[in-house]
Structures are given as C-alpha cells and as structure tokens.
Amino acid sequence: MICPVCKNNMIAVEYRNIELDYCTGCKGVWFDSGELELLLESHGLEEVKLFLDNILDSPEAISSEKKRKCPICSHKMKKTTIGEQPKILIDVCSEEHGLWFDGGEVTQLIRQLAREPPPKRDSREQVISFLEEVFEAPE
Ligand SMILES: [Zn+2]
Ligand SMILES: [Zn+2]
C-alpha cells in the first residue's frame, strides 16, 4: 500500500494479530476497517459498526491541512477529530476503508493518554490505547 502523504511504500506491522500499515517516511499509520473491527472485537466490543458510523457522521473538521487520499480507493478522505484537548485531526475514508493518522498525531494521542488516563474506556479509547501499545512495543 502507498502512503497517502509521501507516497512511500508502507510496511505492514503486526501486533497481537492486528495488522497496521506504517509509513517509515512520515510515520503515518493506516488502520484498515477490517483490522479495526478485529481489534475492537478482541476487546469484546460489539459496536464496531457504530464506531465507524460515529466517525463518518461527525462533522467535517475545518482544517488547512491538505486532504489525504484513501490508500485503497484513492478518494479524498474526510477530516474529523478524536480525543480531547487538543483534539486530534484524523482522516477517514467515506467508503469505510479505514482511518489515517499522521505521524505526529499518533504521538500526540499517546502523550494525551499518558498525561490524562481516560475516565471511561469507549471504543475510540480502545483504539488509542492499542496504538499506544503498538508504538511502545519493542521492535
Ligand atoms: Zn508517508
Ligand atoms: Zn477508501
């Protein structure tokens, strides 16, 4: 798969049977919907569809950041935010192919989580804590 930001070939990173695509150039991460589903299911969450629908239904974030193209269908992805203070801007394919995190965004999320553990663990936070584990795991 090709990185939507810098057009490098992304590498597949496997962690706990979930595969992510990672760009070594810009450190961006692609989360395939199918993989996301597996991840949430492995945490016993059944509202995977709801999780994606929530993201897709959330209002488009206003941003000067360039639109990314989905690495699967190459349609322009929608920008939306997750997390709190500051909110993290992510890209989501409206065809439900997956989510894109820019390199800095993953680190931002991890820092947020380290600073302030979330009071409740909803499906979005499950994704965040998974990313935290992946990127803190030894190579
Ligand atoms: Zn890249
Ligand atoms: Zn797509």
Side-chain angles (χ1 to χ4, degrees):
M1 209 145 37
I2 305 295
C3 171
V5 178
C6 61
K7 319 287 183 237
N8 275 340
N9 273 314
M10 293 196 279
I11 56 162
V13 179
E14 208 191 290
Y15 184 73
R16 293 199 186 171
N17 301 320
I18 314 286
E19 212 179 87
L20 301 178
D21 293 280
Y22 176 66
C23 174
T24 51
C26 65
K27 315 274 192 267
V29 181
W30 172 254
F31 232 121
D32 198 84
S33 301
E35 299 298 329
L36 197 62
E37 208 165 314
L38 284 177
L39 165 67
L40 296 176
E41 277 172 4
S42 73
H43 282 87
L45 289 164
E46 282 160 16
E47 74 274 37
V48 181
K49 191 80 182 100
L50 197 69
F51 171 78
L52 279 175
D53 287 350
N54 276 342
I55 292 185
L56 287 168
D57 290 345
S58 59
E60 168 117 44
I62 297 159
S63 163
S64 54
E65 202 177 84
K66 231 177 118 191
K67 291 253 185 190
R68 316 281 190 222
K69 283 183 182 163
C70 170
I72 293 172
C73 66
S74 38
H75 289 153
K76 281 184 180 162
M77 292 191 280
K78 179 175 115 168
K79 297 212 176 276
T80 191
T81 54
I82 63 168
E84 294 294 337
Q85 294 169 347
K87 290 183 184 302
I88 314 292
L89 192 67
I90 62 164
D91 300 84
V92 56
C93 171
S94 52
E95 306 289 326
E96 302 189 13
H97 288 130
L99 309 178
W100 173 258
F101 292 83
D102 283 331
E105 290 167 355
V106 178
T107 328
Q108 247 182 301
L109 277 172
I110 293 171
R111 281 206 201 110
Q112 254 185 42
L113 201 83
R115 195 180 59 215
E116 222 179 293
K120 57 172 181 18
R121 318 280 292 172
D122 67 14
S123 51
R124 293 187 194 205
E125 281 146 7
Q126 293 283 1
V127 173
I128 294 168
S129 54
F130 176 80
L131 285 171
E132 178 186 42
E133 285 178 38
V134 172
F135 289 95
E136 300 216 320
E139 298 272 304

